[in-house]
Amino acid sequence: MTYSERTTSRRTVLSAFAAAAAVGTPLIGQLAAAAPALAVDGEYANNTTLYKDPNLVEGTSYSRRYRRHEKFDLKQSEKYDFPRTAILALHGGGIEIGTSELALGIAGYSPSDAAGAPVLPTTYDYWMFEGLLSSGNTALHVTSKNCDDHVALSLAKSHLNVLSLHGCQYNQLGMPEPMIWPPSTDPRLAVVGGLNPAFRTALVSELTKAGFPAIDAFDPKYGSRLDDFNGSHVTNPCNLTMLGKGAQIEMTTELRQSFFDDYSSRSARAATWNGEFVKFRDACRRAIATVEASQPIL
C-alpha cells in the first residue's frame, strides 16, 4: 500500500475531529465510528486488533480464505512430495484490488470458482485477507510486517517458499520512466522483492519474457527509492518461511487493471480475467517451478 493511501486512512480519523466540532457530538463516539482501534499511523496495529474491532463483521466487512492441500506419506519404502510454496494476498478484495484473484490463479484455481475444482494440474496452498466494504477498504490495511494471522503465519512457516502479492501506485515508486521502458511512459510495472534472490531472479526473468515490465527491487541501479516496496523486513510473511526468505510482487494499479476486462467490482473481476491475467499467472508459476526444482525432497 502506498503512502497516499495510508494518509487517506489517517484523514478519515482526522475528519472525525472536524465532524465532532461541527455538530457538537462527543469526539470519542465520532472516532470510534470512523476508525476504532487504529494504530498511530492510521492503520490497525495487526490483524488481531482488526479482528477484535466490534465495528467490523467478518463476511461483511472483510473475509479470510485459505486452502491447505492434504498430503501424506503412508509407505515406509517411498518418499512423497510435500507443498513447498504458498501464495499469499495480505491485502486482497477492495484493499489492493486484483491481488486476491491473482493469488487464486497462481494457486491453480479460477477466480470465478474459488471453491471449485482446480483448473491447473499443479496447485499451491494459499491464504488471503479481503476487504469487503463498499468503500474505504484501505482502512483495513495491516502492514505486512505486522501480520499476525495464525493461518497466514503457519502457512508461511511450513513452506520453503512464499509468493506474496501486493498492489501499489506507480507514482509512489519514484521511478523515472526512461530508466524502465524508454521512451514509453506506460505505468505498468511489477516490482519484485523479498529476501530470496533466486526467487526474485526467476520471477523477474519469467515476467519479462512474458512481456511484463518487471524489476528487482534490490537492483543497485535503483538505489534506495524502492526500499518501501522491497519486502525486506524479516517479519514480512514472505520471509517467514522454513528458509527465512521468500518473494513478493508489488504491482502497479495499471498493471493490475490490465488483467481484467472489467476491474470495477469483485464480481466483474471474477468474470472477466483475461489473457494478460493468464500470462502473468503462468509466468509466476514457471518461476515457482524453477525455484522448486532446486529444492529436492530429501
Side-chain angles (χ1 to χ4, degrees):
M1 185 183 196
T2 66
Y3 173 79
S4 63
E5 290 170 327
R6 290 195 295 270
T7 53
T8 298
S9 298
R10 288 195 288 272
R11 291 191 193 104
T12 302
V13 181
L14 293 175
S15 66
F17 286 93
V23 300
T25 53
L27 177 59
I28 297 300
Q30 290 282 343
L31 284 175
L38 295 185
V40 174
D41 66 354
E43 293 186 354
Y44 286 92
N46 47 43
N47 292 74
T48 298
T49 303
L50 186 151
Y51 300 155
K52 290 181 177 180
D53 186 341
N55 294 281
L56 300 177
V57 178
E58 185 161 9
T60 301
S61 307
Y62 66 89
S63 68
R64 292 175 280 180
R65 289 191 280 166
Y66 73 90
R67 187 178 296 228
R68 304 189 75 157
H69 298 84
E70 183 180 20
K71 295 283 186 178
F72 52 87
D73 180 353
L74 301 179
K75 295 185 178 181
Q76 293 179 329
S77 60
E78 298 180 29
K79 65 180 180 181
Y80 288 80
D81 199 358
F82 65 89
R84 283 173 279 178
T85 302
I87 314 300
L88 303 182
L90 305 182
H91 310 130
I95 306 173
E96 293 171 358
I97 298 173
T99 57
S100 48
E101 290 84 2
L102 189 59
L104 287 170
I106 296 173
Y109 296 87
S110 168
S112 58
D113 186 22
V119 296
L120 296 172
T122 300
T123 56
Y124 301 103
D125 293 350
Y126 66 79
W127 180 90
M128 64 185 71
F129 175 89
E130 298 177 282
L132 302 180
L133 299 174
S134 58
S135 63
N137 280 284
T138 55
L140 302 177
H141 183 278
V142 174
T143 300
S144 297
K145 67 181 181 180
N146 295 334
C147 175
D148 64 350
D149 182 276
H150 292 175
V151 178
L153 296 186
S154 68
L155 269 183
K157 293 178 181 180
S158 62
H159 288 73
L160 295 174
N161 314 299
V162 161
L163 175 58
S164 187
L165 304 168
H166 297 269
C168 64
Q169 294 181 20
Y170 181 81
N171 61 8
Q172 296 296 321
L173 297 174
M175 301 296 295
E177 288 86 353
M179 185 179 291
I180 307 172
W181 323 284
S184 171
T185 58
D186 185 350
R188 294 176 307 133
L189 180 62
V191 178
V192 180
L195 294 179
N196 188 330
F199 204 169
R200 294 199 313 268
T201 297
L203 284 164
V204 171
S205 175
E206 292 295 344
L207 289 172
T208 300
K209 286 190 291 186
F212 297 100
I215 60 174
D216 187 330
F218 289 85
D219 190 324
K221 70 181 179 183
Y222 302 117
S224 61
R225 61 166 48 94
L226 297 175
D227 285 358
D228 290 340
F229 302 90
N230 66 12
S232 62
H233 203 282
V234 293
T235 63
N236 184 323
C238 81
N239 297 318
L240 292 177
T241 67
M242 295 167 65
L243 301 176
K245 57 186 179 181
Q248 72 169 39
I249 307 177
E250 291 272 5
M251 297 167 285
T252 60
T253 302
E254 292 79 8
L255 178 59
R256 288 174 282 128
Q257 287 175 334
S258 73
F259 299 150
F260 309 93
D261 294 335
D262 186 346
Y263 184 74
S264 63
S265 68
R266 183 179 179 183
S267 60
R269 293 190 298 276
T272 67
W273 50 283
N274 57 29
E276 292 298 292
F277 179 100
V278 172
K279 288 196 300 181
F280 196 96
R281 176 199 73 185
D282 291 352
C284 291
R285 288 173 61 87
R286 287 193 297 271
I288 292 171
T290 297
V291 171
E292 288 190 347
S294 67
Q295 300 168 331
I297 304 301
L298 300 178

